[in-house]
């Protein structure tokens, strides 16, 4: 997962890449890549985690039985309920989920960070990188669809291939505002 500062340049680059790889994106979605749009304000971190978890289950790197406890019930239900849905229908399902809202609120209240209002102007954004069928995909709920970042990405190369994309983000953002180059964070979910 990557957290980065939003800029006009990064938004334009993401949308342009998504449009360029629409054909491959549609094919990957048909072949089991799980993607949803983000329709809830300031929920990009949650959507990024959902993208990571659902795709890990779909690819067999995490089993449904590994999604344990009461918190795991929502994810198991989401996977089953949205398997044949479009990204837009998945977004509606998530938006209407009271259980996710309750889980999110509970988790947020346990943290040590200051909680912003859901409608606050935030200039940071989370995305997820996943390897799917030997390709590196960037899953950004604000983009029109999944973004193909590398044609050659076996699962063991996820970190190195993602790092190349992250370096490009840093370069793009630093060109406009060098201070923002320090506002990046990445984490791997294993």
């Amino acid at each position: 997962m990557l957290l980065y500062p939003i800029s006009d340049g990064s938004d334009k680059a993401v949308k342009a890449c998504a449009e360029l790889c629409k054909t491959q994106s549609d094919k990957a979605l048909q072949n089991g890549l799980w993607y949803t749009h983000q329709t809830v304000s300031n929920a990009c971190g949650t959507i990024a985690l959902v993208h990571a978890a659902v795709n890990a289950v779909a690819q067999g790197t995490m089993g449904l039985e590994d999604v344990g406890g009461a918190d795991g019930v929502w994810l198991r239900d989401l996977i089953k309920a949205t398997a044949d849905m479009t990204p837009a229908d998945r977004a509606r399902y998530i938006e209407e989920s009271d259980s996710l809202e309750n889980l999110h609120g509970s988790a947020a209240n346990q943290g040590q960070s200051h909680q912003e209002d859901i409608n606050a102007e935030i200039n940071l954004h989370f995305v997820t990188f996943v390897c799917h069928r030997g390709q590196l995909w960037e899953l950004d709920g604000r983009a029109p669809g999944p973004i193909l970042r590398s044609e050659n990405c076996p699962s063991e190369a996820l970190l190195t291939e993602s790092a190349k994309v992250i370096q490009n983000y840093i370069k793009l953002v630093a060109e406009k505002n060098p201070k923002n180059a320090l506002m990046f964070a990445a984490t791997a979910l294993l």
Side-chain angles (χ1 to χ4, degrees), residues 46-68:
T46 300
I47 296 299
L49 282 169
V50 169
H51 276 139
V54 174
N55 281 290
V57 169
Q59 294 174 39
T61 54
M62 180 173 81
L64 266 179
E65 65 280 355
D66 296 325
V67 183

Side-chain angles (χ1 to χ4, degrees), residues 34 36 39 73-82 85 87-100:
W34 196 94
T36 186
T39 56
V73 171
W74 181 84
L75 186 62
R76 289 192 300 271
D77 290 348
L78 171 78
I79 291 169
K80 291 173 187 169
T82 64
M85 289 184 182
D89 290 337
R90 290 172 177 161
R92 273 190 291 284
Y93 180 91
I94 290 169
E95 191 173 333
E96 294 168 1
S97 172
D98 290 335
S99 348
L100 176 60

Side-chain angles (χ1 to χ4, degrees), residues 38 40-46 104 116-122 124:
Q38 175 193 334
V40 177
S41 297
N42 294 331
C44 58
T46 300
H104 184 270
E116 294 290 342
D117 181 81
I118 191 144
N119 296 312
E121 290 284 327
I122 306 288
L124 297 170

Side-chain angles (χ1 to χ4, degrees), residues 162-174:
S162 297
K164 293 174 189 176
V165 178
I166 293 168
Q167 288 171 337
N168 288 334
Y169 267 109
I170 293 170
K171 203 179 301 182
L172 181 67
V173 168

Side-chain angles (χ1 to χ4, degrees), residues 15-182:
K15 286 187 177 39
C17 287
E19 291 302 321
L20 281 174
C21 66
K22 180 150 179 36
T23 302
Q24 295 109 321
S25 173
D26 290 345
K27 185 177 177 184
L29 290 170
Q30 292 167 0
N31 288 322
L33 180 65
W34 196 94
Y35 171 80
T36 186
H37 297 294
Q38 175 193 334
T39 56
V40 177
S41 297
N42 294 331
C44 58
T46 300
I47 296 299
L49 282 169
V50 169
H51 276 139
V54 174
N55 281 290
V57 169
Q59 294 174 39
T61 54
M62 180 173 81
L64 266 179
E65 65 280 355
D66 296 325
V67 183
D71 294 347
V73 171
W74 181 84
L75 186 62
R76 289 192 300 271
D77 290 348
L78 171 78
I79 291 169
K80 291 173 187 169
T82 64
D84 296 323
M85 289 184 182
T86 66
D89 290 337
R90 290 172 177 161
R92 273 190 291 284
Y93 180 91
I94 290 169
E95 191 173 333
E96 294 168 1
S97 172
D98 290 335
S99 348
L100 176 60
E101 187 175 343
N102 293 336
L103 287 170
H104 184 270
S106 173
N109 289 333
Q110 291 176 23
Q112 298 173 356
S113 300
H114 168 72
Q115 299 302 307
E116 294 290 342
D117 181 81
I118 191 144
N119 296 312
E121 290 284 327
I122 306 288
N123 71 338
L124 297 170
H125 186 61
F126 279 100
V127 297
T128 296
F129 296 97
V130 299
C131 289
H132 176 74
R133 295 188 178 228
Q135 298 174 318
L136 177 67
W137 290 91
E138 178 180 338
L139 305 178
D140 178 348
R142 297 183 323 139
I147 302 166
L148 180 62
R149 292 299 188 177
S150 174
E151 291 277 359
N152 185 19
C153 184
S155 58
E156 61 272 7
L158 175 63
L159 293 178
T160 54
E161 291 299 312
S162 297
K164 293 174 189 176
V165 178
I166 293 168
Q167 288 171 337
N168 288 334
Y169 267 109
I170 293 170
K171 203 179 301 182
L172 181 67
V173 168
E175 285 174 3
K176 301 289 182 193
N177 186 346
K179 287 188 224 175
N180 282 351
L182 301 175

